[in-house]
Amino acid sequence: MPELPEVEVVRRGLERWVSGRVVAHAEVLHPRAIRRHLPGAEEFSFRLRGRTVGVAERRGKYLWLPLDGSDAVLAHLGMSGQLLVVEPGSPPEKHLRVRMSFTDGGPELRFVDQRTFGHVLVTPMAHASGRAVPEPIAHIAADPFEEHFDEAGFARRLRLRQTEIKRALLDQSLISGVGNIYADEALWRARLHGARPTGALTGPKIAELLAAARQVMAAALSEGGTSFDSLYVNVNGESGYFDRSLAVYGRRDLPCSRCGAPIVREAFMNRSSYSCPRCQPRPRRTAR
């Protein structure tokens, strides 16, 4: 599933190609794509027609296009969603779900989603964690790149959570945008095993981990994100290539670039965790 860097790559593309334009028509080709827009496809299209799109924004793994007035088009890419900028008249993609055209006759915005886990909707805005955000994500915590991200508050809530550090990093009510890939990479950089109890972390270690998360996601962003298959692409249909720079994720049995020990894979919440057994020793109280 796309994480913060991949979604930010898409947001930047939308800012360049879509922001400032006026919607001429929005066509829904699959109802599941707007399943969270409860009034349905006709109302979805009506709400968009004639609206001017503002500068694309993002919080964590969600992105949205503000509309003139107090609404926004909120999108979550799910596992395979793509927001593509495509020339009008281009053949429809096999899994095209929503198509948006503009009054200037320029490139269309298309939502393509093979697995239909993603969604788009038109929604009012609310205020949460220091900024205006779409109402459905008002409960989502700020992400570590936001101006109003509260580092001291994050550290305090993290220690009180009484769970394992990787579980906490994936908790979007605590910190948004960090998914499985970048959690593993940040933990490796901070020399922490994902099973380390949050209550045992010191303030400086939490700061180090947060800095590591920012660093690895910024590095991924500079390389267009991480693409393990053809489903994650930017608005022009291009894949990212940060997977070539990953230190631990997906590198089972390969040598750690820091100490040479073979990277290990462990089952974690129906997914996988990757770590270096030497640089990131499992805490003794949870040893198997």
Side-chain angles (χ1 to χ4, degrees):
M1 182 178 292
E3 300 181 24
L4 185 154
E6 291 76 43
V7 177
E8 174 63 14
V9 168
V10 174
R11 187 208 66 80
R12 292 181 181 186
L14 295 176
E15 179 177 0
R16 177 181 178 186
W17 294 102
V18 179
S19 297
R21 303 172 69 193
V22 178
V23 179
H25 181 66
E27 179 184 12
V28 177
L29 293 99
H30 196 298
R32 183 168 169 78
I34 62 157
R35 62 190 179 278
R36 300 196 182 184
H37 187 89
L38 300 183
E42 185 175 343
E43 203 268 353
F44 176 86
S45 299
F46 176 79
R47 292 271 297 276
L48 284 172
R49 192 175 304 120
R51 307 290 292 274
T52 299
V53 178
V55 176
E57 298 191 50
R58 178 195 52 74
R59 166 166 281 180
K61 304 174 187 179
Y62 288 86
L63 57 84
W64 65 93
L65 295 170
L67 302 171
D68 54 335
S70 57
D71 292 338
V73 182
L74 175 64
H76 191 282
L77 300 180
M79 295 184 68
S80 60
Q82 302 171 345
L83 283 166
L84 304 176
V85 174
V86 181
E87 286 300 319
S90 299
E93 293 77 9
K94 181 178 180 181
H95 302 289
L96 178 61
R97 308 306 185 192
V98 178
R99 174 164 44 200
M100 192 182 303
S101 61
F102 299 89
T103 57
D104 58 16
E108 298 178 344
L109 179 62
R110 299 182 180 183
F111 180 60
V112 177
D113 191 1
Q114 176 179 325
R115 299 171 182 166
T116 64
F117 292 142
H119 64 270
V120 295
L121 71 154
V122 180
T123 177
M125 298 290 284
H127 196 271
S129 299
R131 65 185 289 204
V133 299
E135 281 186 356
I137 63 168
H139 65 290
I140 300 294
D143 71 55
F145 289 101
E146 291 189 44
E147 179 182 357
H148 298 290
F149 184 83
D150 182 359
E151 294 194 21
F154 167 73
R156 182 174 60 255
R157 293 191 302 274
L158 182 71
R159 282 195 292 261
L160 291 173
R161 196 56 59 101
Q162 295 186 358
T163 187
E164 298 176 350
I165 182 58
K166 183 170 179 180
R167 289 179 183 270
L169 286 177
L170 299 183
D171 184 346
Q172 301 298 293
S173 68
L174 183 64
I175 182 172
S176 65
V178 183
N180 201 38
I181 296 174
Y182 300 113
D184 280 357
E185 293 295 305
L187 290 165
W188 179 82
R189 291 188 179 212
R191 297 175 182 262
L192 287 170
H193 191 280
R196 182 74 66 90
T198 54
L201 296 176
T202 64
K205 199 62 180 179
I206 294 173
E208 181 184 351
L209 176 60
L210 185 58
R214 286 194 178 110
Q215 290 165 4
V216 71
M217 289 193 291
L221 178 58
S222 71
E223 297 186 22
T226 300
S227 298
F228 284 106
D229 57 33
S230 61
L231 296 181
Y232 162 66
V233 294
N234 64 18
V235 296
N236 300 117
E238 301 164 338
S239 297
Y241 50 92
F242 188 67
D243 57 298
R244 306 172 190 172
S245 303
L246 294 172
V248 287
Y249 189 88
R251 292 179 54 82
R252 180 180 183 177
D253 295 332
L254 295 175
C256 171
S257 60
R258 188 163 50 205
C259 73
I263 299 300
V264 298
R265 173 196 172 277
E266 299 174 274
F268 175 79
M269 296 174 61
N270 296 318
R271 289 177 278 185
S272 298
S273 278
Y274 297 89
S275 62
C276 171
R278 187 177 299 163
C279 296
Q280 303 165 263
R282 173 177 279 274
R284 290 182 179 179
R285 74 179 187 86
T286 57
R288 299 177 184 177

